[in-house]
Amino acid sequence: MRTAVTDTIAAIATPPGRGAVGMVRVSGPLVPRICESLAGKLPPPRTAALRSFRDAAGARIDQGLLLYFPAPNSYTGEDVLELQGHGGPVVLSLLLRAACAAGARPARPGEFSERAFLNGCLDLAQAEAVADLIDASSRSAVRAALHSLQGEFSNRVQGLLDELIAVRADLEAALDFADEDVPWITPQTLHDRTAGLVEITADLIREAAQGRRLREGMTVAIAGQPNVGKSTLLNRLAGAEAAIVSPHAGTTRDLLREHIVVDGLPLTIIDTAGLRETSDPVEQEGVRRAWAALEKAELILFLADDRNGLTETDAALLARLPPEIETLLLFNKCDLSGGAPSRDKDAQGRIRLRLSAAGGQGIDQLAAEIKRAAGFSAADAEGLFTARARHLDALHRAQASLRLARAHGARNTSPELIAEELRLAQQALDEITGRFSSEDLLGRIFSSFCIGK
Ligand SMILES: Nc1nc2c(ncn2[C@@H]2O[C@H](COP(=O)(O)OP(=O)(O)O)[C@@H](O)[C@H]2O)c(=O)[nH]1
Ligand SMILES: [Mg+2]
C-alpha cells in the first residue's frame, strides 16, 4: 500500500478530437493549489460549480463545470479535480498545460487507475475490468466487465482464498503441535478439504475461461477444397456479402476476416483459399496463407461437399491439419444432396454437421457448436465476469499446486509438502487481486490503459 504523498498528475480524460464536452482530470496533493490557479477557490465537495478557467497568466481559456472530490472519496483515493470544458482539442490541451504550469505533470496511461489500486480503492482484477469495460465490444462484454468491476470475480477468488487459508492454518497448527498428539486435522479431513479446493478452482477456471472469451473472442478459420462453399459460409455467418462466391474454383486467394458476435461471443472468422495443388503462383500464395492461418486458428471449420461425403483428398487434407486445434467437419450443400441437417460424431470423436451455407439450414446448430467449442454457454452469460489470460494462468497454477497437495495427502506423504503446495497455490491466487504482484506486472497492466483512466 502506498503511504508516501505522491506528485500530482493531470490528463485529458476524454477521447482526442472534437466533442460537445471534454474533461481534464487532476489527482494528487496539489489539487487545491491547481484549482486556485485555474478556476478560483475549491468548490464544495462533489458539487458542480460553473467557473471560468484561466491559464497561468490569468487569461481566460474556457468556461465550464468544476468538480472536486476530496481524498479518500475519489476514484484514485487522492484529491481529484475534474474540469469539464468544451470538447475542442486546443481548449483541452490549454487546460492541461495550465494544470501543469500550476504544478501537475502529465499522467502516464492508466496512472489514475494505478493510483486507485495502490491506494486500495480497487484490487488489480477490478482495475483491469475498468479497461475491459472501456474496450468492451458487445453488450455481454459490457455486462461481464461491470460484474468484474463490482468485484464479483475478486469475491469468488477471495472465497477460494479464505477456505485455502483456513486449511493452511489448521495444517500449520497440526505441524507446530505435532508432538502433543492433538488431532488438529485428520489426514482424511485434509484430503477432503484439498479435494474441495480443487473442485472450486475448476469451476472458477471454467467461468474465467468464458469471461476471457468475451473479452478476447475466438479465431475461427474455414478450410476445405475449392468450391465446397467456404466463402458462402463466411457470408452466411457474417450476414453480409463479404466474400466473392462463385462456381469458379480458386476464386478466393486472400485471407478474408470478418468480425461477428454470436450470442455475445465475439468471433473473428477467416475465409481461406481452397486447399489444392495449383500451378497459378497467385493461388499458390493463397494456399500457403491458408495453411498459415489454419495453424493459428483456435477452431477450424472443415468443409466438404455432402454430395461426395469425405473424399480421399478431404481425408488427406484433414490429416495435415494441426491435431491440437479442434476441427468441426461440415458437410455442406445438403439442399443438393437431399440430406436433412444433422449432427453426429465420426470414429475419432470429431463432430460432424450436415448443413447448407447457401440455404441456411443447420446454421443454428453450427453456431451452437462454435459456442460450445469456445467453452461458452449462453445459459450462464448473465452472471459472467471478464477475465484475462493472466488470471487463467494464475488459476491453473493454483490448481496444479492444489492437485499436488491432494495427491500428497492421498499418499500420506509428509504434511510439510502439502503445506508448501498450499502456500504456492495461495501465492498464485494472490496475484489475481494484486496482493502479491511485481512492479513489472503492474507496469505491464497499467501501460495498456488509455491516458486519463
Ligand atoms: N446449392 C448450394 N450451393 C452452394 C452452397 N454453398 C455454396 N454453394 C455454391 O457453391 C459454389 C462455390 O461456393 P463458394 O462459397 O465460392 O466456395 P469456396 O470456393 O469454397 O469459397 C457457388 O456457386 C455457391 O453458390 C449450398 O449450401 N447449397
Ligand atoms: Mg471462396
Side-chain angles (χ1 to χ4, degrees), residues 231 244 252 271:
S231 298
I244 300 172
T252 309
D271 182 22

Side-chain angles (χ1 to χ4, degrees), residues 1-2 6-10 25-29 31 69-82 107 110-122 446 452-453:
M1 205 112 316
R2 177 171 296 213
T6 52
D7 52 357
T8 299
I9 52 173
R25 180 189 258 172
V26 187
S27 177
V31 154
F69 303 91
N73 301 315
S74 70
Y75 179 64
T76 56
E78 304 174 327
D79 275 357
V80 168
L81 195 66
E82 290 185 3
E111 207 173 357
F112 291 89
S113 301
E114 185 175 6
R115 288 188 175 195
F117 164 68
L118 293 170
N119 290 323
C121 304
L122 293 172
F446 288 107
K453 189 67 242 179

Side-chain angles (χ1 to χ4, degrees), residues 36-59:
E36 186 74 37
S37 152
L38 265 74
K41 70 178 190 2
L42 282 174
R46 295 175 297 281
T47 308
L50 181 65
R51 296 283 175 88
S52 288
F53 302 147
R54 295 173 190 277
D55 68 14

Side-chain angles (χ1 to χ4, degrees), residues 227-429:
N227 253 334
V228 289
K230 298 180 295 299
S231 298
T232 309
L233 182 64
L234 175 83
N235 292 346
R236 165 66 59 184
L237 290 171
E241 298 300 313
I244 300 172
V245 165
S246 107
H248 183 80
T251 304
T252 309
R253 275 110 183 265
D254 281 321
L255 298 179
L256 253 114
R257 284 192 175 75
E258 283 292 309
H259 299 284
I260 65 168
V261 176
V262 174
D263 292 342
L265 171 66
L267 297 174
T268 302
I269 313 259
I270 305 180
D271 182 22
T272 63
L275 304 171
R276 66 165 172 180
E277 298 295 330
T278 162
S279 54
D280 178 340
V282 181
E283 197 182 344
Q284 274 172 1
E285 176 60 16
V287 172
R288 196 192 60 75
R289 290 182 186 199
W291 281 111
L294 294 174
E295 298 282 339
K296 280 187 276 181
E298 294 173 279
L299 176 70
I300 297 174
L301 308 181
F302 187 87
L303 257 74
D305 192 317
D306 193 43
R307 289 172 297 183
N308 311 326
L310 203 69
T311 63
E312 258 173 50
T313 318
D314 288 326
L317 290 173
L318 264 179
R320 280 180 63 190
L321 292 178
E324 69 282 4
I325 303 176
E326 177 168 0
T327 300
L328 304 180
L329 297 182
L330 308 183
F331 292 89
N332 188 32
K333 311 194 187 184
C334 72
D335 53 319
L336 297 181
S337 69
S342 62
R343 173 192 184 280
D344 64 359
K345 288 187 182 171
D346 72 0
Q348 285 105 308
R350 272 186 304 228
I351 292 187
R352 292 194 297 203
L353 299 177
R354 194 191 282 135
L355 47 80
S356 168
Q361 297 91 323
I363 296 295
D364 287 352
Q365 182 76 61
L366 173 60
E369 286 301 335
I370 293 175
K371 282 188 283 174
R372 195 239 350 115
F376 199 81
S377 91
D380 45 29
E382 263 318 295
L384 275 187
F385 41 77
T386 44
R388 300 181 166 207
R390 174 184 95 74
H391 304 146
L392 272 165
D393 175 58
L395 285 169
H396 280 295
R397 276 184 285 125
Q399 191 182 40
S401 290
L402 290 169
R403 284 199 170 127
L404 277 176
R406 185 182 59 183
H408 286 317
R411 271 189 264 108
N412 243 331
T413 14
S414 91
E416 279 84 0
L417 289 177
I418 304 180
E420 175 58 9
E421 291 304 336
L422 295 181
R423 189 187 68 78
L424 289 173
Q426 180 177 351
Q427 187 170 315
L429 294 175

